[in-house]
Amino acid sequence: MTRLWDPCISHGAGTSEDFLTKFFADRSRRAVVIAGAGFDPRSTRATELLAAVLKDRLRGIFLREERSGGQSALGETGNANARRLTELVPNSRVAAFPVFSNDNATVGGRRTVKALESESWADVTDIVVDLSALSVGVAFPLVKLVLKHARERRRNLHVVVTDDPSIDEEIEGISSEKAETLFGFKGALGVHDSSGVTILWLPQLTARRRKALGRVYATLTEEQEVDVCPLLPFPSRNPRRGDGLIEAFQEEFESVWRVDARDLIYVDERKPVDLYRSVLDIDDARKRVFRKLGGSLTVLSPFGSKVQSLGALMAALERDFPVMYVETLTYTSTPSKRADGDLVHVWLHGEAYGHAVDAAVIEEEAKCP
Amino acid sequence: MDNPFLKRATEYYRDEEAFLSVISPEPIRHFLREAEKESLYEKLVNIRGTPGSGKTTLAKLFEFPALSALLRNRSISTYQDLIDAMGSYGAIVGGRLEVIGCRLPLETDYREVWEFEYPETVKLTLTTTLIQARAVLAWLRHLQKGGYNLSDVRIEARQEAEAALNAIGGVAGPALLERARQIERSLYEVVGALVPPDLDQLDEAVTSAYRPFDVIERIVVKNPDGTERRLKPLVILDDAHALHPAQFRGLQRALIRREIRVARWILARLDVLHPKEAFEALTEERADGAQMPGVTASRDYLAIMLQSLDERRKHRVAFRRMATDMAKRYLVQMEIFRTRGLQRLENLLGDQVPPLTESKFDDFARSVDAAQRRLRISDKRRRELLDAIEAYTPEGMSSVPRELQLAMLSILMHRMEKRGQTGLFDTELPEPASKLPKVDSAVFAGARIHLLHKYDRPYYVGIEDVCDASSENAEQFLRLAAELVEFSAVNIIRGESALLEPSVQHKKLREKATHVIQEWDFPRSKQVRKLVDTLAASCLQKTLEPNAPLGAGANAYGILQEEFEAIPDRHPELAQLLQAAIANNAVTVVPRHNCKNKEWCLLELGGIVILRHGLTLKRGGFLEGTSASLASLAREGA
């Protein structure tokens, strides 16, 4: 079966900057960068690079996720990052929206889509989404929407992320009480027609979201049988990260999820495409086996590093996998270090895959009111 | 080691037999004891409780698969109690099923409908339509899984509902299913879309008059022998607190209508209510829930609160019975205990608290002697007090251990001081002695808790303390019990006794409580943690006063009842904070507590908080306060 991103044009440590610099040096390219303007020290990294290359050919849309009850210091850092981003890209706007409604319902994904729903892409050849400082609940629907627009309007779509799992580990928060599917990523979960399927849950683990992962499992298992195959990072910067996770989730593995060594899936921490391919391979194999047993439904939970989340996003976009997640209600601590991780780039749509981006057509569109 | 106590009840839901094996009939009897069985199926039933109080378990038990499994296994003697209990509430009559229940969790999909930019009436229609379609699908799915052929299923429709009957697909099972699937698919497309369609673009299927709840009277199934069974449809809407408040109210209004023939229950947490409504619900003489315009609670709906507000002593005893029964059912699932004939948790919990070591005792004796000198109490008077202490025998004990006697003596001496204050230079005692302070259970309780804090003498010991520390919450009980069971199993593996020493029980319970509080991550949990820590510290200070004025001490903060009721208006931030604390078992509200000729509302600290701070589990001791000072404490923690 052909896959959307196999082969996939992606770049990792060291090569991303080089590629982006050369690619956007072409003066016929005009781009829009969509990034998070939050407290995350990775907020500005990709935009700095793009602004340096594209200069006035770059415009920006910076998303400000608002959560109540957090530390005021986080808000100040977020404001500072937002200011820095708008300084880097003068032709830009900041779209602020609440991630939770007054009754604590998760609305961030829907509000993101609303903020970008009527966005005109007429003046650009390339759309770059920087996931580094966006929460999963915002990033996933955002990329889904922009991918749809990029396909319809024949634009290039790039996704970049500053890879630093230690920053992801450092950011602490209070989880919402609800495990739910991400906005736009329901798949076939919960409908009558899929009530007989066997669910395969592929959670990306992180020790600080242990309770949230427990909530996802509890929600999934309420009605249906669930097999669990945790995704663990290996190779990884810290070679013991996977072992540490096994240790942290020992109780769940033994007493609740019933996971043994054969169920563990190791994916390269720095390559989103590795996770994407592994998930699709497993899904293909399960579908064959369960075809006559009511079917199989793969559910993802991207609690791990940003790079791995990108791999999960690609898999979910391709196969319409449900994505179960527990959104962070409020953040309580912020990483102190500067963002010095590697920039990872994945080209999601456009010329690289034979979908020509016609600069002349774009020129015409831009002239239309 | 597989420890069933560590599993949430939901872990058992997929397999009916496994689920039934851990279900105790006690909570059903207890919570539904005042409900008339007809009301359960005629009126809207609102069930409210804290997380882990057993709402979903109750719902699961009334579902068709669980009831069918129960009847399938009716010959097993352990299920007889449960069958009797279900019979008492009309689910099983004459050994046959009377209702077909389905549970719909409202946590997903439904709330999203409220985010659409449609008028509220449209959003409510979409909500109720999705619920009704999914209820029909769930009833039919349960029957199919139960071995019935859909062609042997039909409905009995309400008279004069011909048009509505056509809209739901008619009376035959297959047509009903197909129509419900079509409705669900259309709605799911709308709910799952990144950009919802404009109002005028909505599929006709989802806005048409699809109202099976108004039509279906009974679901009739044909048995293999040709006879028919007429089942009363029951829909249980679980986790309704996930809905938007306006959506929740709208749904209640829609389901309260008397024309509806389907039995319907709404299960929600207390914090679904607006703070004002929640406070009213908590302080009403009977928990009748929120008032809605034109709706009279007793006439139009039945309210059931899974938390004791009145007759607290009775509730506590009932919970202990229920929890021990539940522990028994969990314990027998662990081979390590079953094969050794260890079937009851209480038998694993030793209650003989070892005496203080000699050095600690001597140290304590010296401090009591010093107090005697400081208080200028004569040896003769001390002897009289000791005689009275020796004559006292606490309930369930043959004698008072010597360190407790000494602690009681210390309390009594300080009480004497309070009675007759001497002047600064007096060398003689005044004459307080006309009457010695009374030696009673309060002095004994005070001595126990003083020794906990002075010498870490085990305090939380035995099954009753585990039950009482659970704040009448089944999940909390299982979490605490899991620690003890795990340790006992490890002892067995090491070849040691399964019996847990009191010091081990005490230590494990307090460690677990500290861990649970650290792990709190519900909305406002940080502020709640700070507030209860501050309240607990004040309670502890009062508890450790040398004369133990409240006996076992304080574990609650009291506000005059009228002040408490005004909190939502005067201190809205505090109201929200308290609501979060109450909804998550950090605090329990005890309304209308009479003391000193005044009516108080007590904010009693939850069992876990009590364990963490070493306070008494005995109820009634409280600090007198005001809502203003509580609001100021809450602000400090913000």
Side-chain angles (χ1 to χ4, degrees):
Chain A
M1 192 190 294
T2 55
R3 291 177 183 175
L4 281 177
W5 294 293
D6 199 359
C8 176
I9 308 301
S10 68
H11 302 86
T15 55
S16 290
E17 278 98 338
D18 197 33
F19 170 79
L20 291 171
T21 308
K22 285 180 181 159
F23 183 80
F24 285 114
D26 179 349
R27 294 205 56 83
S28 67
R29 298 197 181 280
R30 291 184 304 278
V32 57
V33 59
I34 307 170
F39 65 84
D40 195 309
R42 293 168 290 189
S43 293
T44 55
R45 175 99 187 274
T47 305
E48 278 167 6
L49 176 94
L50 294 170
V53 184
L54 283 149
K55 294 192 175 67
D56 60 351
R57 289 180 287 121
L58 179 70
R59 72 178 172 91
I61 302 169
F62 302 119
L63 305 177
R64 189 100 168 87
E65 300 178 22
E66 290 174 345
R67 290 174 167 83
S68 61
Q71 286 179 13
S72 55
L74 297 184
E76 284 162 22
T77 314
N79 289 338
N81 282 337
R83 270 197 305 277
R84 171 84 184 124
L85 286 166
T86 48
E87 279 163 18
L88 286 167
V89 190
N91 181 13
S92 62
R93 68 179 171 103
V94 175
F97 50 84
V99 176
F100 289 93
S101 63
N102 290 340
D103 62 319
N104 281 338
T106 318
V107 294
R110 192 176 287 278
R111 300 288 159 90
T112 310
V113 167
K114 189 149 181 56
L116 288 166
E117 190 187 343
S118 50
E119 180 69 27
S120 162
W121 312 103
D123 57 337
V124 294
T125 54
D126 292 74
I127 304 166
V128 184
V129 181
D130 177 11
L131 299 185
S132 311
L134 291 171
S135 64
V136 165
V138 165
F140 275 50
L142 165 68
V143 175
K144 188 172 185 178
L145 177 82
V146 178
L147 178 62
K148 180 174 167 273
H149 287 182
R151 280 174 179 156
E152 286 167 1
R153 298 177 200 176
R154 300 174 64 178
R155 266 40 174 196
N156 284 321
L157 173 61
H158 310 263
V159 176
V160 292
V161 59
T162 306
D163 173 31
D164 194 341
S166 64
I167 291 186
D168 295 323
E169 287 289 328
E170 269 185 64
I171 298 173
E172 286 186 7
I174 295 170
S175 297
S176 145
E177 296 183 292
K178 246 193 322 181
E180 54 197 334
T181 49
L182 291 181
F183 175 58
F185 289 84
K186 284 187 188 303
L189 193 68
V191 289
H192 173 80
D193 292 347
S194 64
S195 59
V197 301
T198 306
I199 290 176
L200 172 68
W201 182 43
L202 303 179
Q204 289 164 242
L205 305 185
T206 174
R208 68 188 166 80
R209 303 299 304 275
R210 198 176 147 206
K211 215 166 169 183
L213 280 152
R215 278 182 193 151
V216 174
Y217 179 79
T219 305
L220 282 175
T221 49
E222 268 191 29
E223 301 293 330
Q224 278 153 299
E225 196 64 48
V226 173
D227 298 328
V228 186
C229 292
L231 297 163
L232 294 171
F234 193 83
S236 55
R237 275 203 182 116
N238 169 7
R240 278 195 43 80
R241 195 187 293 280
D243 293 347
L245 288 169
I246 293 173
E247 215 174 299
F249 284 86
Q250 191 184 359
E251 195 175 294
E252 283 82 356
F253 281 14
E254 285 182 5
S255 288
V256 188
W257 300 353
R258 290 188 198 88
V259 167
D260 68 33
R262 290 165 300 177
D263 300 320
L264 301 176
I265 303 164
Y266 288 95
V267 288
D268 192 329
E269 186 181 65
R270 301 183 201 199
K271 293 182 181 161
V273 178
D274 189 38
L275 189 145
Y276 159 75
R277 285 181 188 143
S278 301
V279 170
L280 294 197
D281 287 347
I282 292 164
D283 186 60
D284 285 340
R286 289 264 303 188
K287 281 213 166 94
R288 278 196 301 275
V289 174
F290 282 85
R291 192 171 297 143
K292 289 187 177 168
L293 297 169
S296 165
L297 181 66
T298 301
V299 179
L300 304 173
S301 290
F303 285 95
S305 75
K306 297 271 182 195
V307 169
Q308 292 193 313
S309 299
L310 175 53
L313 168 63
M314 291 161 70
L317 285 170
E318 177 154 344
R319 293 274 167 96
D320 196 21
F321 291 142
V323 182
M324 285 286 280
Y325 194 67
V326 178
E327 189 54 84
T328 303
L329 203 57
T330 179
Y331 290 106
T332 53
S333 69
T334 178
S336 48
K337 57 186 280 192
R338 275 187 55 78
D340 54 2
D342 302 320
L343 198 65
V344 173
H345 162 254
V346 176
W347 194 339
L348 277 192
H349 182 78
E351 294 160 69
Y353 304 96
H355 306 286
V357 174
D358 191 334
V361 173
I362 291 165
E363 203 82 48
E364 278 305 304
E365 281 183 27
K367 284 177 197 160
C368 294
Chain B
M1 182 178 17
D2 194 18
N3 184 346
F5 286 83
L6 286 174
K7 293 179 188 170
R8 278 176 62 95
T10 49
E11 292 293 304
Y12 295 96
Y13 292 165
R14 293 185 307 279
D15 181 89
E16 276 74 38
E17 269 79 9
F19 170 64
L20 292 172
S21 71
V22 296
I23 292 298
S24 163
E26 292 301 330
I28 302 143
R29 291 204 181 104
H30 181 64
F31 293 129
L32 303 183
R33 68 194 184 285
E34 285 176 21
E36 292 167 21
K37 70 178 150 181
E38 290 75 24
S39 314
L40 287 172
Y41 309 109
E42 299 300 331
K43 294 177 183 175
L44 170 66
V45 179
N46 276 321
I47 300 177
R48 307 255 164 78
T50 54
S53 57
K55 296 183 294 295
T56 301
T57 303
L58 191 69
K60 275 288 185 184
L61 191 56
F62 276 86
E63 274 203 301
F64 182 77
L67 288 174
S68 301
L70 197 57
L71 287 180
R72 226 173 20 244
N73 295 291
R74 77 185 90 182
S75 58
I76 300 174
S77 60
T78 47
Y79 289 161
Q80 209 48 58
D81 266 3
L82 203 49
I83 292 174
D84 291 346
M86 298 311 283
S88 311
Y89 297 104
I92 295 172
V93 176
R96 288 162 64 99
L97 270 189
E98 191 63 16
V99 299
I100 174 167
C102 75
R103 168 183 164 269
L104 299 183
L106 300 190
E107 278 224 308
T108 50
D109 302 341
Y110 303 90
R111 173 61 180 81
E112 282 183 30
V113 171
W114 217 252
E115 288 300 306
F116 297 155
E117 290 180 349
Y118 303 148
E120 282 206 359
T121 48
V122 175
K123 292 192 282 193
L124 191 60
T125 303
L126 295 179
T127 307
T128 53
T129 304
L130 186 57
I131 286 172
Q132 294 185 75
R134 284 192 165 160
V136 171
L137 290 170
W139 289 322
L140 297 176
R141 194 162 58 235
H142 286 333
L143 287 171
Q144 279 181 302
K145 280 190 180 168
Y148 291 96
N149 196 321
L150 264 192
S151 55
D152 292 332
V153 179
R154 64 179 175 86
I155 57 157
E156 274 179 12
R158 187 166 62 95
Q159 297 288 319
E160 300 156 8
E162 221 163 278
L165 182 61
N166 287 336
I168 68 167
V171 294
L176 275 168
L177 180 83
E178 196 37 52
R179 180 67 180 146
R181 277 179 68 197
Q182 187 193 357
I183 297 282
E184 191 200 31
R185 271 200 304 267
S186 303
L187 271 164
Y188 206 72
E189 273 172 30
V190 178
V191 174
L194 276 181
V195 182
D198 292 336
L199 185 56
D200 54 3
Q201 302 283 303
L202 271 180
D203 189 336
E204 180 266 336
V206 300
T207 50
S208 64
Y210 180 79
R211 289 196 298 270
F213 287 4
D214 285 6
V215 181
I216 303 174
E217 292 254 18
R218 295 271 170 171
I219 294 178
V220 186
V221 290
K222 197 188 276 180
N223 290 317
D225 61 5
T227 58
E228 284 191 333
R229 281 163 61 190
R230 296 172 65 247
L231 299 165
K232 175 84 178 170
L234 162 68
V235 60
I236 305 169
L237 305 176
D238 200 359
D239 296 325
H241 49 263
L243 300 178
H244 186 279
Q247 191 179 20
F248 179 78
R249 281 192 293 273
L251 179 65
Q252 273 194 316
R253 271 196 307 274
L255 294 182
I256 220 159
R257 291 177 302 116
R258 286 168 166 256
E259 303 84 72
I260 294 180
R261 298 298 201 264
V262 166
R264 60 273 182 207
W265 298 359
I266 297 183
L267 277 58
R269 282 175 20 189
L270 196 64
D271 45 354
V272 68
L273 302 174
H274 184 274
K276 198 171 167 64
E277 292 172 336
F279 274 54
E280 280 170 11
L282 284 166
T283 55
E284 273 168 5
E285 296 287 355
R286 287 281 317 275
D288 280 331
Q291 296 297 312
M292 281 177 287
V295 173
T296 314
S298 56
R299 196 188 66 211
D300 294 332
Y301 67 90
L302 177 69
I304 295 170
M305 188 80 93
L306 305 187
Q307 209 174 9
S308 61
L309 293 179
D310 50 6
E311 300 175 304
R312 300 183 79 223
R313 172 77 200 154
K314 219 163 102 183
H315 279 265
R316 182 169 256 195
V317 172
F319 181 78
R320 285 177 187 165
R321 204 167 49 234
M322 181 191 106
T324 44
D325 184 45
M326 202 160 63
K328 191 178 87 180
R329 290 167 193 270
Y330 278 70
L331 208 59
V332 294
Q333 295 189 23
M334 296 179 77
E335 199 183 347
I336 196 165
F337 293 108
R338 193 177 57 240
T339 53
R340 286 166 177 78
L342 297 167
Q343 295 183 352
R344 303 194 69 89
L345 180 60
E346 51 270 41
N347 294 343
L348 302 181
L349 308 178
D351 59 1
Q352 295 302 309
V353 178
L356 286 188
T357 60
E358 281 304 318
S359 63
K360 278 186 182 173
F361 183 79
D362 291 345
D363 175 67
F364 186 34
R366 276 194 298 277
S367 74
V368 176
D369 292 346
Q372 183 193 348
R373 283 193 297 279
R374 188 168 39 80
L375 298 168
R376 275 174 270 152
I377 288 172
S378 67
D379 287 346
K380 179 173 167 271
R381 189 54 45 105
R382 174 175 172 147
R383 188 62 249 167
E384 284 171 0
L385 289 171
L386 272 173
D387 287 345
I389 291 167
E390 279 164 12
Y392 171 74
T393 313
E395 198 185 323
M397 290 175 83
S398 54
S399 63
V400 180
R402 61 177 188 161
E403 65 268 23
L404 278 172
Q405 287 189 348
L406 210 51
M408 290 169 78
L409 175 67
S410 174
I411 291 170
L412 291 172
M413 288 194 305
H414 283 94
R415 287 191 176 185
M416 283 183 72
E417 185 211 14
K418 288 276 173 194
R419 286 182 174 194
Q421 296 285 351
T422 55
L424 189 59
F425 299 104
D426 293 348
T427 50
E428 291 295 316
L429 269 178
E431 269 306 321
S434 49
K435 208 172 170 193
L436 285 174
K438 201 175 156 195
V439 179
D440 57 12
S441 58
V443 177
F444 178 73
R448 281 188 64 219
I449 203 147
H450 281 194
L451 281 179
L452 157 65
H453 290 279
K454 278 187 180 131
Y455 295 103
D456 202 24
R457 184 181 187 273
Y459 185 75
Y460 303 110
V461 176
I463 188 74
E464 289 192 356
D465 281 359
V466 184
C467 294
D468 296 350
S470 307
S471 302
E472 294 174 27
N473 184 290
E475 195 172 300
Q476 202 154 292
F477 170 77
L478 290 174
R479 288 170 89 181
L480 292 175
E483 286 295 298
L484 303 174
V485 167
E486 185 99 345
F487 202 76
S488 175
V490 170
N491 278 354
I492 294 173
I493 292 165
R494 283 179 179 157
E496 295 168 11
S497 166
L499 193 73
L500 296 179
E501 293 298 329
S503 56
V504 174
Q505 297 171 42
H506 175 85
K507 184 167 169 266
K508 287 281 158 197
L509 290 173
R510 293 198 69 187
E511 280 174 2
K512 183 68 187 175
T514 304
H515 180 71
V516 168
I517 292 173
Q518 277 168 357
E519 294 270 293
W520 277 352
D521 67 348
F522 51 84
R524 298 175 199 272
S525 56
K526 202 171 144 194
Q527 295 100 305
V528 169
R529 197 182 293 123
K530 280 195 177 164
L531 180 67
V532 294
D533 280 352
T534 310
L535 294 180
S538 305
C539 287
L540 188 59
Q541 200 178 6
K542 189 74 185 168
T543 300
L544 296 183
E545 284 183 10
N547 63 334
L550 297 174
N555 60 13
Y557 187 84
I559 298 169
L560 288 175
Q561 181 69 35
E562 60 197 46
E563 263 194 57
F564 178 80
E565 284 165 17
I567 286 178
D569 294 326
R570 286 192 202 154
H571 310 285
E573 274 293 316
L574 173 65
Q576 287 184 349
L577 186 61
L578 286 178
Q579 205 180 353
I582 294 161
N584 291 283
N585 289 316
V587 164
T588 304
V589 172
V590 186
R592 300 198 164 77
H593 179 83
N594 288 311
C595 184
K596 296 182 188 170
N597 293 325
K598 287 179 184 166
E599 195 172 53
W600 299 84
C601 182
L602 306 188
L603 298 172
E604 191 178 273
L605 296 168
I608 291 289
V609 181
I610 286 174
L611 283 184
R612 155 108 174 80
H613 291 274
L615 298 171
T616 179
L617 290 164
K618 204 171 149 58
R619 289 163 166 171
F622 70 95
L623 305 177
E624 293 176 19
T626 61
S627 58
S629 51
L630 192 64
S632 132
L633 283 179
R635 272 195 300 276
E636 283 167 25

